[in-house]
Amino acid sequence: MGSILALIILLFIPIGCMAQECRVDQDRVQIAENNDPGYVVTTIHTDPDYTMIVFDNIEWFEIKGTELLLKKSLDYENQTTLDVALHCRRNDATVKITRVYVTVLNVNDNPPMFQKSTYDFNVLEDTKVNTAIGEAIEAQDLDLDTIFYVLTGPDQAAADHFRLTAINNPVILVNQPLDYDKYNYIQLILTARDTQSETATPSYTATATINIKILDVDNKPPQFLPCRNLGDICLNDGYTTKVTRTEKVTGALVLNPAPLYAIDGDTGINAAIVYSIVNGNTGGIFDVERVSGNITMTKAADTLGIVLLQIMAAQVDDGRKYALTTVQIDVVEKNNNPPTFEKKNYLGTIQAQSAIGTFVTDSSSPNKPLRVFAADEDFADKLNPYITYVIQGGPGFTVSRDGYITNNALFDSPATITFSVRARDTTTGEEDFTDVEVEITPSVPTTTVSTTTSTTPGQGETGPGGDGYTATDMAALGATLGVLLALCLVGLGFLIHKQYGDQIRNRMSKSSGDDLGGSEDRTEQLIDDDDDADDNPDPGLVEVMPASISYDVDNSISKDPFVTDYLVLGAAAANLFANENPSNSPHAEKPEEGFDPDDKKEVKSILTKEFKDDPGYKSVWFREDASPEVVVIEGVEEGEADDGETEEGYNQEDDDDDDEDQLSPNFLEMNNDSNNFSQL
């Protein structure tokens, strides 16, 4: 079996060798472009007596020895495949043809390229965000690589107003709202790269410049100049000037800070502006030129004060777009005199360690604050309200608009400081100067003992430069005086009670006893209301009643529970000494005759100054030129007392009231007028 297999192998070997007289290692080869000339494509094998030659494309290929070589460098962009026919020859006859195929591999050897180096666009400022400004700006790559784009710019803040649709899509979109007044021109740089990573090798890029012109849109009103930018608004602070009363200015008024002028808020459009006065021109004294905006006078102003004109600037092509401002015109008197300081040298003092804001006092009058004053003879009181004061070269001090000087720094030790004060008339610019010398004196402490404050000489006075009493000192003093006053009132009431208590209680007890008889036993007022005017011949005499006594509807007297008994006793005691002569009191008569406490009938007053023709009525009729007498009117009703009983009752009451005669007539008057006095 083994011999047979060996025989078969020997028979076939010559046949295989005969079939392989010419051959190549590879008949399909891939070669990257940009190869060097002489690049080995493949290796050739030939048997003896055989040769192999290049039959075609001899400009590209050649055989050297046993190698098939490329004669030139390949370029994928020009040729992607290449082949060559190799003839196997023996005795000048071709016995076999072998074809070798070469595939050219693409290599990144070309940068991307834009069609143009510069692209221009016009974009309206009101273009919406995410709106494309134009078509895609694409770069071409001969290597057919994927292109990656990046959008930048010299001014990145401006470039941020735009963006790309995607990294591989170079359509430019609006990224932020546009504003012509901020950016009316934006330049962008579009970069195209044939690799995603910047660090890749090889990597090629190309750039294009994008010029974008922002077009203004008529969407803003006019604005007066100069103005301050407040976001999207430019605010004008108005204009000022002054004129002299009774004088008409020829030509345009000179305004501050600049002439009246407005421009279109859309500066890219710059529409024409017209001016008009819309308010404040009382009397038609002023006028504004429609086109130039110059303000002129039609007549002289005859009233001092301020005229405030309201001026409107509107677009000619659209009156709905307008702006307003004010022109303040001060009508002043004619100026003939500059401000002049009353003194050329002022002297003042201030203590060391004085709090900031302390007034400097006048050296000639320590109780007065130092005041510098520049007089203006153009004013009746020499006080020019337009004068301002400024300290020059005086650190540590400041001056008010009224000329008072205070410190704005602390001074630790005595010293002398000299500085100048300038007075300036702001309406005319005229100035005057004076010198001020301030002596900083040693600080003198203030000593306070209990509620009494003792001060060292020159101290403790209120006002600029003095320490003065504090609110706490005054409150403590007031509280002490209040306590002393209360103690005095209590002592006074006690003394009155001890001196006149028995008499007051006796009289009050008797009056209170009358009240206990009930409403039927109450006596009416001793003297009719009709005679009140006659009873008090002295209109200046006023009855003194305690503030705690009040009258109810039936003439009874009640005592205010919130007032102490001592105050009531004090008021009653005051009545005791109101009149030393009892004859001065119209109500100091004796009690009425005929008073019967058991009588249930109506009791009428028996004291009168007039004769009353009333049957059954008993009265004591007083005449100023006669002694009192009892007159009995006929027709006495049953149950009434007769004359004898009346006199007896009167005498008995007179005996009981001996102590009362010592009381003041005013007190008797008070008691007789109140039938129901509450017992204290």
Side-chain angles (χ1 to χ4, degrees), residues 365-409:
S365 180
N367 294 330
K368 289 176 54 180
L370 180 64
R371 183 188 184 189
V372 295
F373 178 71
D376 192 333
E377 298 294 337
D378 292 323
F379 294 82
D381 56 358
K382 298 184 180 181
L383 180 61
N384 184 346
Y386 299 100
I387 290 180
T388 59
Y389 300 95
V390 177
I391 288 180
Q392 296 182 333
F397 294 95
T398 183
V399 61
S400 69
R401 186 176 181 88
D402 296 327
Y404 291 101
I405 298 176
T406 58
N407 67 321
N408 58 4

Side-chain angles (χ1 to χ4, degrees), residues 170-239:
V171 176
I172 299 177
L173 306 177
V174 176
N175 188 48
Q176 297 178 9
L178 304 175
D179 187 349
Y180 175 86
D181 297 312
K182 292 183 178 180
Y183 300 103
N184 55 24
Y185 170 78
I186 297 177
Q187 186 178 78
L188 305 175
I189 303 298
L190 181 62
T191 301
R193 187 175 60 250
D194 57 10
T195 60
Q196 184 172 3
S197 173
E198 296 180 0
T199 59
T201 303
S203 179
Y204 298 95
T205 61
T207 59
T209 301
I210 313 297
N211 298 317
I212 301 176
K213 183 178 181 181
I214 310 299
L215 302 180
D216 201 359
V217 177
D218 191 6
N219 58 359
K220 294 182 179 179
Q223 51 191 223
F224 285 94
L225 299 179
C227 61
R228 295 178 289 111
N229 287 319
L230 299 176
D232 294 334
I233 301 174
C234 195
L235 182 64
N236 173 260
D237 294 326
Y239 306 85

Side-chain angles (χ1 to χ4, degrees), residues 1 46 120 156 246 276 280 306 320 395 399 404 418 485 510 522 526 547 551 590 627 666 672:
M1 184 66 182
T46 60
D120 298 317
Q156 191 58 43
T246 71
S276 61
I306 295 177
R320 295 172 299 177
V399 61
Y404 291 101
T418 302
L485 179 59
K510 182 173 181 60
R522 294 177 183 174
L526 296 179
Y551 294 87
K590 294 180 180 180
S627 300
N666 280 351
N672 290 335

Side-chain angles (χ1 to χ4, degrees), residues 123-129 131-133 174 176-178 217:
V123 181
L124 294 174
E125 68 170 335
D126 61 351
T127 300
K128 302 297 182 182
V129 174
T131 301
I133 67 172
V174 176
Q176 297 178 9
L178 304 175
V217 177

